[in-house]
Each structure stands twice: as C-alpha cells, then as structure tokens.
Amino acid sequence: MVDITVMGAGIFGLSVAWACARRGVRARVIDPHGPGAGASGGIVGAMAPHVPELWNSKKAFQLESLLMASDFWSEVAEVSGHSPGYARLGRLQPIADAAALKLAAERIENAATLWQGQAEWRIIPESGPWCPPSATGQIIHDTLTARLHPRQACAALVAALRARGSEVVTDGKPTGRILWATGIAGLDALSAAHTRIVGNGVKGQGALLAYDARDQPQIFANEVHIVPHEDGTTAIGSTSERYYDDPTSIDAQLDDVIARAVAAVPALSGAPVIARWAGVRPRSRSRAPMLGAHPFRPGEFLANGGFKIGFGMAPKVGAVMADLMLDGIDRIPDDFKPEASL
C-alpha cells in the first residue's frame, strides 16, 4: 500500500517524499527519466543565503531551511549510507569599492539580528591563495553558506527512501495523495492549463575541475560561484540563459564562466575540466517556489519552481509539504502558494 505518490524525482519531489517517509508514510516516487535527471542533476551545489536586508517571507523561509540543512542531510547520510557532500563552510566575496564596503558593513548588524545569532556576516582582510583579489583589500565572509554535490544528494535521498521502505521508480500508477514536482515540464503543463505563462525555464551551464580545495569556503566573484566539493573536485557555475535552442548543449558561454573563475582564483589555472553540464531550471512567474494545493488537479498537490535555490530550500519545502499533505496543516507563506504565480 502506497500512502503518497510523488511525480518527479528532482530535489523537491525527493525531499517531500523523504519528509513523509520519516513520519512512517510509504512513498512512491515516479520519474520516467530517473532521479535527478533534470535541473537537480547538476554539479554546482551552492546553497547561499539572500543578503540580510529588506527581509521578507522568502528570505525568512530560506534562512530556516539553511539552518535545518545540517540535521536534514546528516540523517539522510546516516540512513542511506551515502554522503550528499554537505558541509557548511561559508562563502567569500570580494568588495569592489568604498560604497560596497560601507554597505557590507551595514549588513553585519542586520545579519546579527535577522540570522538569529546562528551565522555571521563578517568583513575580513584579503589573504591567502584561496581568496579572490579585492579592490578594497577586504572580503565578505558569511558563515551561513553551505555546499553539497547535487547528484550525490539525490542519490543519497533515493537510498534513504528505499531504506525506509519507499520506492523510486520510472513507471507506476499514482495512488494515495499525489504531489506533482515535475520541474520545467510541470511549469509548461500549468501554463498550458492557464491563460498566461505561469513560469519558464532558465538554462544554466557549469563545469567540474580536478582541483582539491574540499575544506575551503566557496567563493562568489566575477558573478561566478566556485564551490569546492567533498570528493576533491571544484565546481564552477553558472550561466543564466533565458533564450536557448538546446537545453543540454555546452557552448562558449561556459568557457567564459571558467575564465572568470580562474581570474577570481588564479590557483585554479591549469586545473583540468573533468565534466561539463547544462540543464534547465524551473522558475515560476513570481520567482518564488510554488507550494500547496494543485490549482488544476483537485485534491492533489504541487511543489515546483526551485530555480537556483532548490537544494537550499529543500529541507523546509519537505517539512511544510508533509505537514500539508499528511496533516492538513498549512505553514506555507502566501507568496509561495501557486495562486501567486497564476
């Protein structure tokens, strides 16, 4: 007997299934393409917070999720026997000029309040080879940013679900309570059922370098994320392409991303590129995740629109969707509900 069916084995679908399985519910996750076949099968895995200012429900939700992440992924690793590559090692960002330095200083106090004393936003001197050059000689270091390896994280969730008696399959009949977490295909279906575009796909390209900085913080510089992974590789990403012909093609835009990463961290110069990835990430019209009752399938549920922050949002998304599906308890912010994008 299956209690819930999740259509889609990306990070939102797997996380909701896991949150339900933790409560003793048997889940079936169905995805014809297999786990992490879409945007969740990427290679970058930067889980970074929004800046601590102009606070809103999206930023508050993301903060709660990032603070939940350590326990969430530790349990997944323990149950599954597979590492998701999670670590909260922080992030470095160069400060370009005096105005940016003043703004960064103002955010120190904001972070102390808004991040509830559980993480810091600091300004530190530029120092060492694993540090981007900064025009001011100063660097932002936040201690909230974390990393994981997206493919490893999806594989660990699949193994954890199976260890708890749930299943992840490529075909099957939906039964029980049904959740749709089908990424860009789901957004296209919502748009087709509505009178306007509900969301769209944004293509991203990333690369994996054979460079071991596994214990170092990630870097955001030159509009590029540089993310050291637990396995001794370093991920570089990514582009944001609203217009594209082939969603999985690799082109010169990725070469530019790699060049900008090397300019920011010269230590990466000469590191072999061992993998390249391209895929399409689902972005809702409101730019927030779409969570709640499905607008066009009565009695069913929806979780979509993770865009670039799906892995960072996943622990909290799983918790609130499990509350809603299993107990009828609605803890979803109003601007995350599907009607906000309709």
Side-chain angles (χ1 to χ4, degrees):
M1 177 72 70
V2 171
D3 300 299
I4 70 161
T5 298
V6 176
M7 304 300 293
I11 185 56
F12 275 7
L14 291 171
S15 295
V16 175
W18 172 244
C20 292
R22 291 183 68 251
R23 303 185 190 193
V25 168
R26 186 164 185 264
R28 172 182 291 151
V29 182
I30 303 173
D31 193 316
H33 305 292
S40 298
I43 55 179
V44 179
M47 299 195 299
H50 292 286
V51 294
E53 62 184 17
L54 302 176
W55 210 238
N56 56 33
S57 59
K58 181 178 180 181
K59 291 184 178 183
F61 190 102
Q62 186 197 44
L63 171 65
E64 291 179 39
S65 193
L66 290 172
L67 294 175
M68 293 168 64
S70 180
D71 289 342
F72 179 93
W73 291 110
S74 292
E75 184 179 17
V76 169
E78 181 179 358
V79 173
S80 70
H82 295 269
S83 173
Y86 174 85
R88 189 175 131 184
L89 298 174
R91 175 180 57 173
L92 306 177
Q93 301 178 73
I95 303 175
D97 52 35
L101 183 60
K102 180 176 182 294
L103 183 59
E106 292 170 356
R107 288 171 175 166
I108 293 174
E109 186 173 345
N110 290 345
T113 301
L114 296 171
W115 289 356
Q116 305 166 19
Q118 299 191 61
E120 292 181 288
W121 177 283
R122 305 167 175 165
I123 297 175
I124 62 173
E126 175 189 340
S127 176
W130 190 257
C131 185
S134 176
T136 60
Q138 302 294 307
I139 297 288
I140 296 166
H141 176 213
D142 83 74
T143 65
L144 182 55
T145 296
R147 64 106 203 271
L148 51 64
H149 194 299
R151 294 176 185 174
Q152 293 178 13
C154 288
L157 278 168
V158 170
L161 283 164
R162 288 172 174 162
R164 288 286 173 90
S166 293
E167 58 185 24
V168 182
V169 296
T170 57
D171 194 15
K173 180 181 178 181
T175 60
R177 282 153 285 191
I178 300 171
L179 170 75
W180 292 85
T182 49
I184 185 59
L187 288 183
D188 289 345
L190 288 167
S191 296
H194 196 40
T195 56
R196 64 179 178 181
I197 301 298
V198 172
N200 62 285
V202 178
K203 180 180 174 181
Q205 298 183 51
L208 205 60
L209 276 58
Y211 186 88
D212 192 344
R214 69 186 71 193
D215 297 323
Q216 297 294 330
Q218 62 189 265
I219 290 170
F220 183 70
N222 293 343
E223 301 300 314
V224 174
H225 295 277
I226 303 167
V227 184
H229 282 310
E230 180 185 66
D231 63 1
T233 62
T234 295
I236 307 298
S238 63
T239 62
S240 290
E241 305 167 43
R242 295 191 62 184
Y243 306 102
Y244 50 87
D245 295 321
D246 184 345
T248 60
S249 65
I250 306 297
D251 58 33
Q253 294 182 77
L254 180 55
D255 294 331
D256 177 64
V257 167
I258 296 170
R260 283 187 278 133
V262 172
V265 183
L268 295 172
S269 180
V273 177
I274 55 177
R276 297 173 186 259
W277 175 87
V280 179
R281 300 160 294 194
R283 183 177 69 178
S284 71
R285 190 177 66 84
S286 71
R287 300 196 176 194
M290 300 173 67
L291 309 174
H294 198 293
F296 305 123
R297 292 178 174 270
E300 300 180 10
F301 301 89
L302 177 70
N304 206 325
F307 190 34
K308 295 181 179 181
I309 57 174
F311 281 89
M313 291 287 207
K316 184 71 173 176
V317 167
V320 298
M321 289 305 299
D323 284 343
L324 182 64
M325 295 174 68
L326 303 181
D327 303 321
I329 298 173
D330 187 349
R331 305 185 192 277
I332 300 168
D334 287 344
D335 50 358
F336 280 28
K337 291 180 178 176
E339 49 266 34
S341 291
L342 297 181

